[in-house]
Amino acid sequence: GISDIILHHAKTNFSIFIKYCSNQIVQDRTLKRLKSENVYFADTLKELESSQACQSLSLHSFLMLPMQRITRLPLLTAAIISHLPPASPQLTPCKEALDVLNSLVRECNEATRQKERMEEMVTVSQTIDFRGLKNIPLISSSRWLVKQVKCTKISWKE
């Protein structure tokens, strides 16, 4: 049945969504950069986005579709479960598929959060001027920015 198909694909094919979702911040930044730096790209993109084939949707909306789909799948699977009779042989694989999909969405969210944290640390690392002092290695997967405030000068006495 449908639940077996969902379960099979969730286990074997959907892990690519984790990498895709985690790279969303890079996609957004690259798209903004290309639109601002490359007039030909921006004009061509505008023309494509206004075409009938794209139904006047932006490239950004197309790039968001996989993320929207992976978060919608657990909801659809839960809806299937709610319509199955309690004695249905499809109930067990459908619940297993829901568990796998929910786990996948959690992994997507966590991978996205880790990527955003890493991007923040890269930005902080590029912003700090150590003025002749030995650089402190800030970028690490186990390190992230807890609070961000504007700072103009830090000084200390030894």
Side-chain angles (χ1 to χ4, degrees):
I2 188 77
S3 53
D4 296 317
I5 295 168
I6 294 170
L7 179 59
H8 169 74
H9 285 288
K11 284 183 173 180
T12 59
N13 299 324
F14 288 178
S15 63
I16 191 68
F17 282 101
I18 298 167
K19 186 165 183 107
Y20 187 89
C21 291
S22 71
N23 283 315
Q24 185 65 38
I25 190 170
V26 177
Q27 290 175 10
D28 289 342
R29 186 178 56 240
T30 303
L31 183 58
K32 283 179 187 173
R33 181 180 51 77
L34 286 170
K35 286 166 85 172
S36 68
E37 292 177 1
N38 188 330
V39 176
Y40 179 72
F41 177 84
D43 290 343
T44 304
L45 187 60
K46 234 181 243 181
E47 185 180 321
L48 288 170
E49 289 174 343
S50 64
S51 77
Q52 189 79 10
C54 292
Q55 300 174 356
S56 297
L57 294 172
S58 68
L59 176 58
H60 183 264
S61 66
F62 284 107
L63 292 172
M64 292 297 292
L65 286 175
M67 290 179 60
Q68 293 167 348
R69 285 197 180 119
I70 196 64
T71 56
R72 198 175 299 132
L73 284 171
L75 301 172
L76 295 171
T77 306
I80 292 170
I81 291 171
S82 72
H83 288 89
L84 289 174
S88 172
Q90 290 296 310
L91 195 56
T92 301
C94 208
K95 285 183 176 181
E96 188 179 348
L98 180 60
D99 289 342
V100 171
L101 289 169
N102 280 329
S103 176
L104 205 64
V105 170
R106 279 191 300 276
E107 288 180 58
C108 285
N109 289 336
E110 184 55 34
T112 302
R113 190 172 13 265
Q114 285 179 344
K115 185 76 165 193
E116 287 172 350
R117 288 174 171 173
M118 189 66 75
E119 292 285 326
E120 287 175 335
M121 292 307 292
V122 167
T123 302
V124 168
S125 178
Q126 292 170 345
T127 304
I128 294 178
D129 179 6
F130 288 99
R131 305 264 169 145
L133 298 173
K134 182 181 174 191
N135 286 358
I136 301 169
L138 298 176
I139 303 167
S140 166
S141 60
S142 62
R143 195 175 284 149
W144 63 88
L145 191 62
V146 175
K147 185 174 182 178
Q148 185 172 352
V149 295
K150 186 162 178 76
C151 179
T152 55
K153 183 178 180 181
I154 298 174
S155 61
W156 69 87
K157 293 182 181 180
E158 291 186 30

